[in-house]
Each structure stands twice: as C-alpha cells, then as structure tokens.
Amino acid sequence: MANGMQIEKDWRKMCLWYAVQTHAKSEHRAAAALSRHKDIEVYCPRLKFQRLTRRGKVWFTEALFPGYLFARFRAESHLRAVSYGTAVTRILQFGDRHAFIPQSAIDQMREQMGGVDIRKIESSTEVGDEVEISSGPFLGMTATVTGLLAGKQ
C-alpha cells in the first residue's frame, strides 16, 4: 500500500494546473464532466449571492472567473480529453505553449474562498440602514438607504 501512495505522489508532481476556457455560463457543466476522469483534478470557484428580481430576492451561483475553470492534469496524456471535454472551448495558451498556473496561486485562491468551492456572499445593506459614502463628490457623508436596485441599474 505504501508503494501505491508513492506512485500517487509522483503522479501529482508531474501534473500542472491549467486555465480552461468554457462556454458561457457552463463552467459547472465542464467541471462536472472533467471531474469524472480520475486523473484530472478540477477547481471551479463560484460565488452564491442574492439578487433582487421581479419575483423578489433570488439566489444565484456564478463562477468567480466567468468562462474559466482550473484543471490539473498531465498534458502528455490528458490534453486531448480536456480540450474536447463537455462545454470546454480551449485550454489557455500563450503562443504555442499552454499557460500553466503555479500551485501556490491555486492554494491562495482556495484559502481566500475559505476552503470551499462555493462561497456564499451575504448582502449586508438593507433599506433603512445608515451608510457612509466612500468615494466621489459626497465622500465622507452619511445617508439612509431608501431602496435597493439591481447591479445593472
């Protein structure tokens, strides 16, 4: 059994993280499909938040990096499987070389996400709250929230 663990560690050392571009709003589909391969590790950080809609407040889950996810694999043996995966557009390249991401960058993202793939963002501002304006011509002034608009408004 110890020999099997060593092989696993050696295999992991040969794998690199790559940025994988996906079809619009399909990061979760691509991540699920790639995760089915035992030798491909996938990281797709997402945010869960509420938006005000015609139906009231509704929870949405969206990718932290829209249109991208991260996959760790051996390019020599899995490049084709990833490139032609469900909802995958391409693996990010600079010229003729696939761009890899350092393990430390992935570790830092995971730490910032609190060790979870989906981080829930709570809206802390409600109608009636007192707020201080932090930029612009009214910098430093306080105001009372009288209404909330959707982000596009």
Side-chain angles (χ1 to χ4, degrees):
M1 187 68 170
N3 192 20
M5 293 177 96
Q6 184 60 40
I7 292 170
E8 175 72 16
K9 285 181 184 179
D10 291 342
W11 175 82
R12 291 270 178 218
K13 286 180 187 176
M14 294 184 287
C15 295
L16 294 174
W17 284 99
Y18 296 92
V20 178
Q21 187 176 23
T22 67
H23 295 201
K25 304 274 186 192
S26 296
E27 304 86 0
H28 62 287
R29 284 184 39 224
L34 291 174
S35 293
R36 290 187 195 109
H37 295 271
K38 74 175 187 114
D39 294 337
I40 299 174
E41 184 179 350
V42 178
Y43 183 53
C44 183
R46 295 183 287 164
L47 299 175
K48 185 174 184 172
F49 57 93
Q50 281 187 320
R51 268 195 199 138
L52 196 56
T53 67
R54 290 183 183 144
R55 299 175 298 179
K57 286 184 178 179
V58 177
W59 285 98
F60 289 86
T61 303
E62 292 185 3
L64 182 61
F65 301 99
Y68 292 90
L69 58 82
F70 305 98
R72 182 181 186 188
F73 57 91
R74 285 189 63 191
E76 301 83 28
S77 55
H78 293 90
L79 193 63
R80 189 175 197 82
V82 174
S83 295
Y84 295 102
T86 301
V88 170
T89 304
R90 66 187 180 110
I91 300 171
L92 200 64
Q93 288 183 251
F94 294 117
D96 63 344
R97 299 183 69 126
H98 289 94
F100 69 90
I101 291 103
Q103 179 66 49
S104 60
I106 301 294
D107 293 342
Q108 187 176 15
M109 275 189 272
R110 284 185 164 147
E111 185 180 320
Q112 291 293 317
M113 289 288 291
V116 296
D117 289 351
I118 300 177
R119 185 169 180 182
K120 190 174 181 181
I121 305 295
E122 296 284 346
S123 175
S124 58
T125 306
E126 297 290 334
V127 173
D129 286 351
E130 280 241 345
V131 295
E132 183 176 332
I133 299 171
S134 62
S135 65
F138 300 111
L139 174 69
M141 296 182 74
T142 58
T144 302
V145 177
T146 58
L148 300 173
L149 300 174
K152 291 181 181 175
Q153 297 174 327

